[in-house]
Amino acid sequence: MGEIGIIFVQTNPRSLVMRPAVNLSKTALVFEAIDPGGGRPIRSTARFQPSDTIDLSGQDYSLLLQRPVYGTIGLVQVGNDLFIGVVTEAVKIAELEGAPVYRIQRVDFYSLISDRYDTTVAEASDTLKAGATSYLEEPSGPIIHPCQALIKIISTGSFYFSPTLDLTRTAQRRVLDVQQGGSALNIFDNPDGHFVWNKHLLSGLLQIRDQELAASERDDLDRGGLLVLAIQGYVGQVNFTIGGQPCRMALVSRLSCKRAGTRLLSRGVNDDGHVSNFVETEFLLYNKFFTFSFIQIRGSVPVFWEQTGIQMTHKVTISRGAESSAPATRKHFEELIARYSKVHVANLLGQKDGSSEQILSDLFRQGIQKMPDLSENITYTEFDFHAVVKRDGYEKLSELVDMMRKPLENSSYFLADSQSGSVVFSQQGVVRTNCLDCLDRTNVVQTRLARQALDTQFAQFDQHFSVAEEENFGFVFNGLWADNGDWLSKIYAGTGALKSSYTRKGKSTMLGLLDDAAKSVNRFYINNFQDKTRQEAIDLLLGKLAISENVLLRNPLHEAVTKEMRSRLSEYSSAEEITMLVGTWNVNGKTKGDCMEQWLSSRVAESPHLIAVGIQELIELTAGQYISADTNRLRLDWEATLIRVLNDKPGASYVLVRSLHLVALGVFVFVRSDSVHMIRNVESSVKKTGLGGMAANKGGIGISLSVNDTSIALVTAHLAAGQSNVEERNRDYWTIHEGLAFRGRRLAEHDMIFWFGDFNYRINLPGEDVRTRVARGDLASLAQLDQLTSQRTASAAFDGFSEGDLTQFQPTYKYDNGTTIYDTSDKARAPAWTDRVLYRGRRIALKEYARAEALISDHRPVRAVFDISTVIIDRDAKDAVQKQIYGEKMRDRNVPPPLPSRVQAPAKVAADTSSALLIDFSDDNEAPPLQSGFLGPGLSSRE
């Protein structure tokens, strides 16, 4: 089955129809633009409709493309426009189990709102055909397609699909699922979400399919192949003979989309246990007697680590320590055990004392050792690949194969009888291989292990190559695995794999070494200067970017269900109360604090669950210090000091969640050891405001995290100084507010937001007047003249935020260092409450707002203690409630009225209302924008 769809277009209003090109299905996909009026953005309706009820022969419709297409990968919204992604070119790359497998060569995006980009699509595609290689290159024409980066990343040749075979699951899983009653043909019933890269883009259409279509209608839609499920990775196939018998050998590498990203922007593990560059590689062999499958996996070291800045070496930063990494490491291995049973780790990192790779190895080993309850299912081997090869050559890799022989025998492989379909052997475990990038060294080792497994199978069944067959097999086998390594490396690092010449030829050559050197230089450039653009395209594809507030496809049924789900939150959730201490201190360049125990201790909360600390002026803000100071070392010193202070208290045990610095500004977040399990989805972002955003002497740092299922943003900031620079401080606030961006969430979209830092707002009085009122204790009148309070009241900054009573403590700035006396210098700066903690959100109770009497700085440290109520969602209960509400509303038709729909052209045959599906999107202003998808489950026209 090749091209399966034809696209028609109509103007005024804009309509797109995609119908099957051959008589495999009678279902078409129809989109129509609707102008809601009132200056609001144009939206689109969508429906599935029988093709024979749409008159496409008249003057209204014309072909959008002069050739058939391969289906749609889904919908994406960019700003105030909505696009449908269409696979316009693909090539058949393999045939597995009788099903064709296609490599996507080209994808185009067409607007559902206007024809503005119709010609731009063709121009962009021509640019791709002409061989544009850089993600920084843009078309030189007057209009740049909003989906240009997305078009490039999907059209690189690393995405694959099959209309009839579920490529997301291994042969073993497909067979077992059929034995348990699953479908052998329907690829949409049970795909593995780890490997469906366009799940977000297809989510709305799949919801319609699942919620609205009867079983027969779903089958008809699926037969037409209009919806494409795409994996990313590598698929290759070659033929060979053994003992005169023809065989087919294939590789299917599935790259996980759960922690997707480019080499230097996606490292380590996330709080859900998903690791970067996780690939499930299945080595397949088919002949007339049996189907053989052997699975291996690779993935980043499952601790929290990263590489930031311009990278010329493999300098690694451990972003969270062993204790705070432990829950994520456990989740990672628990999922692997659930998927593969037993896991044998082959760690190829270097073991040179003090090296970044050794530090990672130590953390990895310690993490596994801390899970003795999983020891029956996890074994661990270390093999310093570089040291062994450098000393003894590639031949010594046979030692690793010998070390792995026992795990390979215990895991076995999958073997099924080709005639009866019965299972002969099942694979009972998997080898998890890693190096630093999980590319070059990993691919060499996986190639060796695959050959070992296949040789074992051949020996067990007494199969033997002739001399000529052996030579040919070695050539095609090594070539297949070298291609696999090259493609996986191109996806993650931007270049082909290093050491691929060895994998391909079985030996290391001078030409291969020169090729590796050229690839290394290429990687340096791509990873440091192009990865950000590639990462944004990946995030857009996966739905991790915050979308426009104007959702252009809105579903009344989905909105009605969402509204009722909010009102029934208590049926599928519970609350957990936690305490959080937030502290801020401008230390004026001093490296050691005094009275820190007093600052970070509170009589109302002896042992808070969460502690967030902001430090300003880690260095003195002078030109010399700004250039020469090692602020990373200072951050680490403060990190060590803070953890020591926190853990010196009797019975206390805290671990670091995240620390980050922006030159002289630092933020440190700690969690109590017994509460680490509550923390997930930790992200960070920085925004400079100094010198118009060019310098980092002022700015803000944001940490986004989830405590249970409540999203919390922690922002520390240092705003513009100066008695009269109120407007500049307000601009700094808004710059940080708008500029801090986390994957899939804006700052304002968090359930709770806490700002803390040196905001530099002053008191609108002369210095002597302020001193006089402070001396007589008249803090109430000073609070009324506080600049920040007046700006909040005027909604000029910190709109909607709350703060404790300022009169609880005296102004925190500016003191003579080491004294309790306000500024006696020539400038005689007026005292002010520059150091503040503000908060916004529901279920937050302020318990204390106070300062500490540390004397080393010209500021006094401030702390605030909060009781916050976090939400815990019961996923199973939520799904049950949601299904119940959907069922009730579909049965009762109790949904908001849709927008009026344009009347259809006269049908060639009478429309069958039992199968014509209409989705129309309401003008319900009270309904919230959909953040998780652009198109929810639709409303059927069936009564």
Side-chain angles (χ1 to χ4, degrees):
M1 186 170 72
E3 297 93 336
I4 52 83
I6 302 174
I7 303 179
F8 295 85
V9 64
Q10 175 184 273
T11 57
N12 196 28
R14 174 83 162 175
S15 300
L16 263 69
V17 177
M18 180 185 291
R19 72 167 179 81
V22 291
N23 294 323
L24 296 173
S25 167
K26 65 179 181 179
T27 304
L29 180 55
V30 183
F31 297 95
E32 294 179 317
I34 287 183
D35 187 350
R40 289 167 294 180
I42 296 175
R43 301 172 184 169
S44 181
T45 65
R47 66 175 175 273
F48 287 118
Q49 182 174 334
S51 301
D52 56 7
T53 67
I54 308 171
D55 185 4
L56 299 172
S57 62
Q59 296 182 351
D60 289 345
Y61 283 96
S62 61
L63 285 172
L64 181 61
L65 291 172
Q66 297 303 312
R67 63 185 183 280
V69 297
Y70 290 80
T72 176
I73 60 170
L75 309 174
V76 62
Q77 181 173 334
V78 182
N80 283 335
D81 213 332
L82 185 69
F83 299 87
I84 180 171
V86 180
V87 180
T88 51
E89 288 188 12
V91 60
K92 183 178 176 181
I93 206 74
E95 185 168 309
L96 306 179
E97 300 170 25
V101 179
Y102 295 92
R103 172 187 289 158
I104 296 176
Q105 298 289 85
R106 171 172 151 184
V107 63
D108 293 321
F109 284 83
Y110 294 94
S111 171
L112 300 178
I113 304 300
S114 74
D115 61 1
R116 172 177 169 80
Y117 302 105
D118 285 359
T119 56
T120 310
V121 168
E123 293 169 359
S125 299
D126 290 341
T127 300
L128 286 173
K129 274 185 129 177
T133 58
S134 171
Y135 281 84
L136 298 181
E137 295 175 19
E138 296 293 353
S140 57
I143 299 177
I144 297 176
H145 197 291
C147 302
Q148 183 66 20
L150 199 55
I151 292 170
K152 286 182 179 181
I153 205 165
I154 303 176
S155 302
T156 54
S158 62
F159 287 83
Y160 301 82
F161 73 95
S162 173
T164 54
L165 182 70
D166 183 359
L167 292 177
T168 69
R169 293 182 295 160
T170 63
Q172 178 168 314
R173 285 186 62 191
R174 290 194 295 268
V175 168
L176 294 178
D177 286 347
V178 170
Q179 290 179 350
Q180 296 169 5
S183 170
L185 299 176
N186 199 318
I187 65 174
F188 295 101
D189 278 354
N190 193 30
D192 190 329
H194 285 75
F195 307 117
V196 182
W197 275 75
N198 60 327
K199 181 180 179 181
H200 169 71
L201 270 59
L202 274 182
S203 59
L205 298 176
L206 289 177
Q207 284 176 337
I208 298 170
R209 175 191 176 277
D210 295 341
Q211 297 284 347
E212 299 297 326
L213 299 183
S216 60
E217 294 168 331
R218 288 197 298 270
D219 290 342
D220 181 75
L221 173 66
D222 298 344
R223 279 196 303 271
L226 290 182
L227 307 183
V228 170
L229 284 183
I231 68 167
Q232 189 178 24
Y234 173 74
V235 178
Q237 175 185 289
V238 293
N239 297 322
F240 69 97
T241 60
I242 181 170
Q245 294 291 331
C247 297
R248 176 176 296 167
M249 179 169 52
L251 265 182
V252 180
S253 281
R254 308 169 179 94
L255 175 64
S256 172
C257 60
K258 292 297 185 179
R259 184 163 169 75
T262 54
R263 180 172 173 245
L264 296 187
L265 296 177
S266 183
R267 293 299 211 184
V269 72
N270 66 13
D271 290 285
D272 293 320
H274 303 305
V275 295
S276 301
N277 203 24
F278 180 86
V279 183
E280 177 185 79
T281 296
E282 182 177 18
F283 178 49
L284 292 153
L285 191 147
Y286 301 98
N287 63 23
K288 67 178 183 179
F289 302 111
F290 60 79
T291 296
F292 165 90
S293 166
F294 177 66
I295 304 164
Q296 300 181 74
I297 59 175
R298 68 178 75 186
S300 192
V301 175
V303 299
F304 291 95
W305 63 282
E306 59 191 31
Q307 290 176 293
T308 56
I310 302 298
Q311 288 289 327
M312 299 185 69
T313 62
H314 289 166
K315 184 177 181 182
V316 167
T317 299
I318 305 300
S319 52
R320 295 199 222 172
E323 290 297 329
S324 54
S325 289
T329 304
R330 171 175 286 275
K331 287 180 183 178
H332 175 70
F333 278 101
E334 286 177 342
E335 181 175 7
L336 293 186
I337 291 169
R339 294 173 71 88
Y340 305 109
S341 187
K342 296 183 181 297
V343 180
H344 187 91
V345 175
N347 177 15
L348 309 180
L349 289 172
Q351 301 301 317
K352 183 180 178 181
D353 289 345
S355 67
S356 292
E357 294 201 2
Q358 188 214 30
I359 293 170
L360 273 179
S361 277
D362 290 346
L363 286 173
F364 195 1
R365 187 188 326 106
Q366 292 165 14
I368 292 176
Q369 290 171 347
K370 290 179 180 179
M371 299 184 292
D373 54 314
L374 303 181
S375 60
E376 290 187 3
N377 294 93
I378 304 175
T379 51
Y380 179 82
T381 297
E382 284 182 357
F383 186 85
D384 189 337
F385 183 101
H386 281 327
V388 171
V389 170
K390 183 178 180 180
R391 184 182 65 244
D392 301 316
Y394 283 95
E395 293 75 16
K396 280 295 184 178
L397 291 178
S398 58
E399 293 183 358
L400 176 61
V401 175
D402 291 339
M403 295 165 65
M404 303 298 294
R405 197 177 304 277
K406 185 71 171 178
L408 289 175
E409 291 174 354
N410 292 338
S411 298
S412 187
Y413 49 81
F414 173 75
L415 197 73
D417 189 300
S418 295
Q419 305 300 318
S420 66
S422 60
V423 176
V424 180
F425 298 121
S426 292
Q427 187 168 341
Q428 300 296 324
V430 70
V431 176
R432 183 201 191 279
T433 308
N434 73 273
C435 48
L436 192 69
D437 298 322
C438 303
L439 295 176
D440 315 315
R441 288 171 278 182
T442 295
N443 202 65
V444 170
V445 169
Q446 287 196 336
T447 304
R448 287 289 192 102
L449 297 181
R451 182 62 191 263
Q452 175 65 29
L454 187 59
D455 287 347
T456 300
Q457 191 270 332
F458 283 157
Q460 286 179 328
F461 288 82
D462 198 28
Q463 293 180 292
H464 303 282
F465 289 110
S466 68
V467 175
E469 288 175 337
E470 171 72 33
E471 183 177 353
N472 175 68
F473 177 79
F475 177 77
V476 296
F477 175 87
N478 290 339
L480 193 64
W481 275 93
D483 289 343
N484 177 69
D486 280 341
W487 274 105
L488 295 180
S489 180
K490 288 175 184 176
I491 295 168
Y492 191 52
T495 73
L498 308 184
K499 304 175 180 61
S500 62
S501 63
Y502 169 77
T503 304
R504 202 175 296 276
K505 299 177 181 178
K507 61 182 179 180
S508 181
T509 64
M510 179 57 67
L511 188 61
L513 294 175
L514 293 174
D515 182 55
D516 286 352
K519 288 175 180 175
S520 295
V521 173
N522 231 357
R523 280 188 185 180
F524 168 78
Y525 175 77
I526 292 171
N527 298 158
N528 286 292
F529 301 107
Q530 294 188 9
D531 273 3
K532 186 175 185 294
T533 302
R534 296 170 63 213
Q535 185 68 57
E536 289 173 353
I538 292 169
D539 289 344
L540 179 61
L541 172 62
L542 298 177
K544 294 182 178 180
L545 294 179
I547 66 170
S548 166
E549 294 179 0
N550 297 313
V551 178
L552 303 179
L553 279 172
R554 298 179 66 187
N555 183 334
L557 175 60
H558 179 80
E559 292 169 358
V561 170
T562 300
K563 187 174 182 179
E564 187 162 339
M565 286 290 290
R566 286 198 300 267
S567 69
R568 296 172 63 172
L569 179 65
S570 61
E571 297 181 34
Y572 56 87
S573 70
S574 58
E576 182 172 10
E577 307 295 327
I578 73 164
T579 304
M580 180 169 69
L581 185 150
V582 176
T584 180
W585 191 8
N586 185 322
V587 297
N588 194 25
K590 305 301 185 293
T591 57
K592 291 186 179 180
D594 60 331
C595 298
M596 294 185 64
E597 295 83 357
Q598 182 201 48
W599 171 39
L600 298 177
S601 299
S602 171
R603 56 181 175 77
V604 301
E606 291 186 3
S607 185
H609 299 80
L610 198 64
I611 296 176
V613 175
I615 301 288
Q616 302 85 47
E617 297 191 22
L618 290 165
I619 58 172
E620 292 185 31
L621 297 182
T622 64
Q625 284 290 304
Y626 189 82
I627 295 172
S628 64
D630 185 350
T631 53
N632 185 61
R633 182 187 59 79
L634 285 172
R635 175 183 62 83
L636 295 175
D637 289 346
W638 273 100
E639 184 182 298
T641 298
L642 290 168
I643 199 71
R644 176 186 56 77
V645 169
L646 293 176
N647 287 332
D648 275 351
K649 293 184 289 186
S653 178
Y654 286 90
V655 298
L656 178 72
V657 172
R658 189 72 166 91
S659 72
L660 193 65
H661 74 285
L662 177 64
V663 185
L665 180 65
V667 65
F668 308 84
V669 181
F670 305 91
V671 65
R672 214 167 64 190
S673 295
D674 62 358
S675 303
V676 171
H677 66 280
M678 298 190 303
I679 307 299
R680 296 170 51 249
N681 305 326
V682 180
E683 301 278 355
S684 63
S685 181
V686 300
K687 185 63 180 178
K688 304 173 185 177
T689 60
L691 299 180
M694 297 296 293
N697 60 312
K698 295 290 192 292
I701 305 175
I703 301 293
S704 170
L705 52 83
S706 295
V707 181
N708 294 318
D709 291 298
T710 296
S711 60
I712 295 177
L714 303 166
V715 182
T716 190
H718 195 185
L719 307 186
Q723 176 75 24
S724 60
N725 290 335
V726 177
E727 290 301 322
E728 189 174 348
R729 285 188 276 276
N730 291 349
R731 283 195 299 271
D732 284 354
Y733 163 76
W734 287 110
T735 298
I736 297 169
H737 173 84
E738 297 295 336
L740 292 180
F742 309 96
R743 286 190 180 181
R745 181 176 285 146
R746 301 183 185 92
L747 178 59
E749 293 171 340
H750 290 76
D751 298 319
M752 301 177 183
I753 307 173
F754 297 86
W755 278 71
F756 47 103
D758 178 2
F759 300 154
N760 259 318
Y761 287 94
R762 310 304 172 87
I763 297 170
N764 287 325
L765 271 180
E768 281 305 316
D769 290 349
V770 176
R771 287 180 175 82
T772 299
R773 297 191 191 194
V774 171
R776 69 171 183 249
D778 186 11
L779 300 182
S781 66
L782 292 178
Q784 294 175 1
L785 298 170
D786 172 68
Q787 291 176 351
L788 178 52
T789 301
S790 65
Q791 296 306 300
R792 284 172 47 216
T793 302
S795 299
F798 293 95
D799 186 27
F801 280 81
S802 300
E803 186 180 16
D805 185 359
L806 282 178
T807 64
Q808 295 294 311
F809 51 87
Q810 292 182 350
T812 57
Y813 169 87
K814 169 181 173 51
Y815 288 90
D816 290 340
N817 287 340
T819 76
T820 59
I821 302 171
Y822 285 115
D823 187 13
T824 60
S825 71
D826 292 342
K827 293 184 178 180
R829 296 177 182 86
W833 285 288
T834 58
D835 309 280
R836 314 286 276 268
V837 180
L838 286 83
Y839 59 97
R840 189 176 78 183
R842 300 172 57 192
R843 302 183 300 276
I844 303 174
L846 177 65
K847 306 299 290 184
E848 182 185 41
Y849 197 29
R851 80 175 205 176
E853 300 308 317
L855 303 181
I856 66 162
S857 171
D858 56 354
H859 290 253
R860 295 294 182 263
V862 171
R863 71 170 176 271
V865 178
F866 302 93
D867 284 342
I868 61 179
S869 179
T870 66
V871 173
I872 302 175
I873 301 295
D874 184 327
R875 308 296 173 188
D876 293 335
K878 180 182 178 182
D879 289 345
V881 173
Q882 190 173 51
K883 288 179 182 178
Q884 177 191 348
I885 297 173
Y886 269 118
E888 293 171 352
K889 294 195 178 297
M890 289 296 294
R891 184 176 62 251
D892 302 336
R893 282 291 173 265
N894 183 22
V895 295
L899 286 171
S901 172
R902 183 173 62 83
V903 178
Q904 287 297 304
K908 293 182 179 178
V909 296
D912 179 3
T913 56
S914 66
S915 61
L917 297 173
L918 172 67
I919 301 159
D920 235 336
F921 300 91
S922 75
D923 190 18
D924 179 7
N925 292 322
E926 294 183 357
L930 307 181
Q931 298 299 330
S932 60
F934 308 125
L935 180 60
L939 171 61
S940 169
S941 65
R942 291 172 293 178
E943 296 298 330

